[in-house]
Structure formats: structure tokens, C-alpha cells
Amino acid sequence: MEEERRKQEVEEAIAAANRVLMNLRQAETALSSAGSWGIWDMLGGGIFTTWIKHSRIDDARTSLEEARRSLRSLRRELMDIDIPADFKIDIGDFLNFADYFFDGLIIDWMVQAKIREASDNVSEAIRRVETLRTRLHEML
């Protein structure tokens, strides 16, 4: 009976990891799109391009908020099977105000740097959750 219970807890942890990965991948896609629009913005795309870029940034924020919720659930599941989890997800401040009101190459470059940094953080989080999920599968 104990073995069945542990197997169920591991399966619940795997499901939680899958939810985290889904949210992180959605954020990754949104950040990639924001980065592409950011390049156009730096080339003089104008207010419409800036708006689309920030819309994609907002999509990434939404996905990352969902990922944070999913991570809390994953942490609880991991505690049930005595596996520590320490994940941090942060996309930082994207300088929205400055980018809209002081639209120029330097501000656009700063926003691009923030998008790249956030994308790197998300990629690292995906790698870590995938590694954890593999470890969980090995426990089955």
C-alpha cells in the first residue's frame, strides 16, 4: 500500500511539473515574439510596434504568473515525496512607462536587454523543471 501511495504522489508531482512547463513554454513563446517586435521597434517601428511588443510582454507576464501558481503546487507535491524544490521565476520590470513615453533607441535597447534576460531565466527554469520531471519519472 505504501508503494502505491508513493507512486501516486510521484505521478501528481509529474502532472504538476507538466503544468509548470506548459506555462513556461507559453511565456517563452511570448517573450520570443516580444523580442522580435522589439527589434522592429528599435528600427523605428513606432507606437503600434511598441504596443504589440508590450502586449506580448503582458502575455509573458500572465503565463509566468500561472507558472508561479503551478510552481507552488509542484513544491507541495515535491514535499509529499521529500524532494526539495527551489525555483525562482522573474521577468523583471520592462520599463513600460519609459518605453512608451521616451521611445528611442537607448530605451528600446534597454527593453530588449530585459526581454533577453527574462527569456534566459525562463529557459533556465524550463531546463530545471525538465530535469526534475526526468528524475520523477525514474522514481516510478
Side-chain angles (χ1 to χ4, degrees), residues 6 17 33 38-39 51 69 92 94-95 103 106 121 125 127 131:
R6 182 157 175 82
S33 179
I39 291 169
W51 177 80
R69 284 189 211 72
F94 283 100
L95 309 170
D103 195 23
I106 293 173
N121 290 343
R127 186 193 63 73
T131 299

Side-chain angles (χ1 to χ4, degrees), residues 11-127:
E11 288 172 349
E12 290 171 2
I14 291 170
N18 286 335
R19 285 189 299 274
V20 172
L21 286 171
M22 179 188 69
N23 297 135
L24 289 173
R25 288 186 178 122
Q26 288 171 340
E28 183 178 51
T29 299
L31 287 168
S32 176
S33 179
S36 296
W37 283 103
I39 291 169
W40 283 108
D41 199 18
M42 288 175 22
L43 296 173
I47 193 74
F48 182 71
T49 303
T50 300
W51 177 80
I52 293 174
K53 175 180 66 178
H54 284 285
S55 175
R56 297 309 179 268
I57 290 169
D58 290 342
D59 292 344
R61 280 192 178 118
T62 299
S63 294
L64 288 174
E65 284 302 318
E66 288 297 319
R68 284 185 184 104
R69 284 189 211 72
S70 297
L71 273 173
R72 284 192 292 275
S73 174
L74 176 58
R75 284 185 185 110
R76 285 190 300 273
E77 296 299 338
L78 293 174
M79 286 175 28
D80 290 345
I81 53 177
D82 297 321
I83 295 178
D86 181 32
F87 295 98
K88 179 184 174 195
I89 299 175
D90 184 22
I91 61 169
D93 177 16
F94 283 100
L95 309 170
N96 283 336
F97 177 83
D99 195 34
Y100 275 116
F101 293 99
F102 302 108
D103 195 23
L105 187 58
I106 293 173
I107 296 298
D108 290 342
W109 179 81
M110 290 170 58
V111 172
Q112 278 301 106
K114 290 290 188 181
I115 291 170
R116 269 191 309 279
E117 179 183 329
S119 186
D120 290 346
N121 290 343
V122 168
S123 294
E124 176 62 18
I126 288 171
R127 186 193 63 73

